[in-house]
Amino acid sequence: MKSAFTLLLVLGAAGASQLGCSDDAATPDDGEGGSSSSSSAATSGGSTTTGSGGSGGGGSSSSTSASTTAASSTSASSTSASSTAASTTSSGTGGAGGEEPLGDEIPMVIPTPTNGAGEIRTQTTVLKNAANGGQDVYDFNNQKIGVNNTADCDDGEGQKTVFEVEDGVTVKNLIIAGGLPGGNGIVCKGDCTLDHVYWEDVCEDAATNSKDGATMRINSSIALHSADKIFQHNAKGGSTTIVTNSYIADFGKLWRSCGDCTANGGPRNLIIDNVRVDKVKTTVAGANQNYGDTVTITNLYVKGGYDEEDDKPKICQEYRAVTDHMGESEKLHGGASQWNTATCRVSKSDIKSW
């Protein structure tokens, strides 16, 4: 089952990025809407940056080269565990007996930053691909980096993006500073891979898939503490988000297909395989049935197990989305988890306990 997700990738032609996207209602409702963070880090940093801040819809940044940033192209050496270790307190009851995830590929502790207290940059950093004068792989050697974000995490939109990633770029061994400096996290403007990327305390979103037809891959990563979404999916046109071998804890939704984007549509696809979750406030995945979205989940490990009697935590919820802010996205089936449907392609046997 572990490799089945590779058969589902559909890479469509790149289209225009989504604009003016928000998730469902403007006011949070059971984890809906705006996102918030539990802390506001105030570390400072130094190097010059590129571009201007963007929001969840993928705000634009200027085309200055990211090769001037502090990205290292050498492989990162392993680092010791730090006080940013993820909390693993149990939540929920019931579910299948405890099982260990496949292999030992899931990181559970955020590494100690190699740049001390971290660096807070003044503006969004654009990671250009090799065709545009940058490079296709950026290895940050576990540096911690944030952005001088002035929009509060509770506002839902308007936060600066920390990194804007061009088509074909892989980002490795990077720690996104927690709280306010985490801003709008990472926005992928095409196909991208985020490998061993760690979010200490998500502000708006951890990462956003923003280019129609593109695939955003998250592998061996950790994302912690979000009142709402971890991964936002705005792109349509058969675009795909893939999350593998990762640990996500204390969040509203692990993934949400945009519930109210300008020129909203689909389909959008999610693939989850070999992922640990803990403290799920709303649902693992929220997909738009009316736009043909799909959610495929295999080997999902829920802390304390899935409680079938109370349907906790929710695993895959189906929505009827809207476009151009004409109403609000609506939960279908009373918000209950859906199993083996055209939208929610997940079986209860693939939800395991740890």
Side-chain angles (χ1 to χ4, degrees):
M1 297 291 294
K2 182 178 178 183
S3 63
F5 69 89
T6 59
L7 301 177
L8 298 172
L9 304 184
V10 180
L11 301 180
S17 57
Q18 301 299 303
L19 300 173
C21 178
S22 63
D23 179 36
D24 310 318
T27 303
D29 175 16
D30 189 25
E32 307 282 333
S35 176
S36 64
S37 175
S38 60
S39 68
S40 55
T43 54
S44 60
S47 73
T48 58
T49 58
T50 64
S52 60
S55 64
S60 62
S61 300
S62 60
S63 300
T64 49
S65 173
S67 60
T68 61
T69 67
S72 167
S73 60
T74 59
S75 297
S77 58
S78 60
T79 57
S80 62
S82 72
S83 59
T84 56
S87 170
T88 57
T89 54
S90 179
S91 63
T93 59
E99 299 181 49
E100 282 303 307
L102 302 173
D104 57 357
E105 300 162 310
I106 298 181
M108 294 295 292
V109 175
I110 295 176
T112 301
T114 56
N115 60 340
E119 175 190 352
I120 305 304
R121 299 180 174 181
T122 58
Q123 295 188 40
T124 299
T125 300
V126 178
L127 299 182
K128 288 181 166 294
N129 57 32
N132 288 328
Q135 55 200 64
D136 288 339
V137 178
Y138 290 84
D139 190 330
F140 283 86
N141 191 30
N142 288 331
Q143 292 181 80
K144 180 164 75 172
I145 298 172
V147 70
N148 184 22
N149 172 43
T150 57
D152 192 271
C153 298
D154 291 329
D155 289 345
E157 299 290 339
Q159 294 83 0
K160 287 182 183 176
T161 296
V162 183
F163 286 97
E164 185 176 285
V165 179
E166 288 193 345
D167 183 52
V169 168
T170 293
V171 179
K172 300 175 61 177
N173 303 311
L174 169 67
I175 302 168
I176 298 294
L180 202 61
N184 192 45
I186 296 173
V187 172
C188 288
K189 306 296 286 187
D191 293 340
C192 72
T193 298
L194 310 179
D195 185 59
H196 288 86
V197 174
Y198 311 99
W199 290 268
E200 292 182 328
D201 188 351
V202 175
C203 182
E204 163 60 3
D205 300 319
T208 300
N209 188 341
S210 70
K211 186 68 172 179
D212 287 0
T215 297
M216 179 174 76
R217 296 174 174 85
I218 299 100
N219 181 60
S220 297
S221 297
I222 295 174
L224 306 176
H225 312 307
S226 175
D228 193 38
K229 306 173 299 295
I230 295 289
F231 302 118
Q232 174 72 25
H233 196 139
N234 295 344
K236 48 190 181 181
S239 52
T240 302
T241 297
I242 303 170
V243 186
T244 56
N245 310 319
S246 295
Y247 173 56
I248 316 294
D250 189 25
F251 60 91
K253 308 178 191 73
L254 187 151
W255 174 90
R256 179 67 171 105
S257 176
C258 187
D260 178 15
C261 277
T262 300
N264 204 7
R268 302 179 178 110
N269 307 300
L270 171 68
I271 298 168
I272 292 176
D273 183 63
N274 201 35
V275 169
R276 285 186 178 186
V277 296
D278 187 12
K279 299 180 183 176
V280 184
K281 299 170 187 174
T282 303
T283 189
V284 173
N288 299 326
Q289 182 197 72
N290 57 324
Y291 293 145
D293 295 350
T294 67
V295 172
T296 303
I297 298 177
T298 51
N299 301 305
L300 178 69
Y301 296 84
V302 177
K303 182 69 172 180
Y306 167 69
D307 186 339
E308 185 172 354
E309 182 177 352
D310 291 334
D311 190 20
K312 292 183 178 179
K314 299 289 192 295
I315 303 299
C316 181
Q317 290 180 314
E318 297 182 0
Y319 287 76
R320 180 179 293 109
V322 297
T323 186
D324 301 325
H325 316 298
M326 297 178 66
E328 296 179 1
S329 180
E330 174 191 359
K331 288 180 186 176
L332 303 177
H333 316 291
S337 297
Q338 298 300 294
W339 307 96
N340 300 304
T341 67
T343 301
C344 294
R345 302 176 180 183
V346 51
S347 300
K348 291 179 182 177
S349 61
D350 263 307
I351 311 305
K352 304 170 184 180
S353 175
W354 69 279

